[in-house]
Amino acid sequence: MIRVSKLLSLVLRHKPEDIGIALDSQGWVSVPTLLNALAANGHAILPEELEQVVRENDKQRFTIRDGRIRANQGHSVEVFLSLNAATPPDSLYHGTATRFLTSILQSGLQKMNRHHVHLSADKIMAQKVGTRHGKPVILKVDAVKMSQDGQLFFLSDNGVWLTDSVSPQYLQVLSDE
Ligand code: HQG
């Protein structure tokens, strides 16, 4: 399951060309096209298996709708997800690795290879995201101040808060509690 999920992340967010598919401008590809391409590349899975992976994915990373599938966020390829701007909670969190701190506190959170900076409403999720990169540290983001200053936030279909960048003045390093 995790193997299929990782493969879906790869082809639906980053490298559709690796299995010879193209995503439409909003990131969708038809389910039969995807399944045929996966099979042709040595990863044959049944439609039911795909549906199960999507349904049971721990972070609800994908959506199947009207016979098509797409990733809900996290792309590096150009896609327009038509996200709606939304009002965030007062504080959001970003987990990163301690070795990135100096740079982040100097130049703010940048989207790096993705389309947005990814933020979460809860610290535990931020901790997990940070751990992916090394020794984790959590940054608290003053989302209410950012909104007041006119910066837009978007909420992905799977509950990830997205924004363009976060300047250092909105960041606070949380000490271990
Ligand atoms: C860091 C996963 C130096 C940033 C997660 C992060 C998330 C800077 C890394 C989603 C920086 C980028 C996204 C700066 C940012 N200087 N480093 N100025 N600004 N960084 O993977 O947020 O499992 O692109 O702190 O759960 O870690 O894929 O972003 O450490 O939701 O669904 O640059 O990916 O979801 O790393 O993770 P990433 P992320 P999935």
Side-chain angles (χ1 to χ4, degrees), residues 54-120:
V54 169
R55 197 172 52 242
E56 295 178 1
N57 186 260
D58 59 345
K59 285 161 88 180
Q60 296 295 300
R61 292 180 177 88
F62 316 102
T63 295
I64 294 180
R65 194 183 299 148
D66 302 331
R68 301 178 304 170
I69 182 170
R70 77 171 177 186
N72 288 325
Q73 34 75 227
H75 300 80
S76 57
V77 294
E78 189 63 49
V79 289
F80 299 95
L81 296 175
S82 311
L83 296 166
N84 292 318
T87 305
D90 287 359
S91 299
L92 289 168
Y93 300 92
H94 178 88
T96 188
T98 49
R99 69 180 187 286
F100 298 148
L101 262 189
T102 309
S103 164
I104 290 172
L105 293 177
Q106 220 159 46
S107 54
L109 284 172
Q110 303 297 332
K111 48 191 151 177
M112 313 306 272
N113 287 329
R114 305 197 193 235
H115 291 302
H116 297 97
V117 172
H118 288 223
L119 305 170
S120 61

Side-chain angles (χ1 to χ4, degrees), residues 96-99 130-131 133-137 176:
T96 188
T98 49
R99 69 180 187 286
T131 305
H133 296 287
K135 186 166 186 284
V137 55
D176 291 340

Side-chain angles (χ1 to χ4, degrees), residues 30-51:
S30 94
V31 169
T33 302
L34 173 69
L35 292 178
N36 286 337
L38 286 174
N41 285 273
H43 305 286
I45 55 170
L46 297 168
E48 303 84 79
E49 287 178 286
L50 182 70
E51 278 162 26

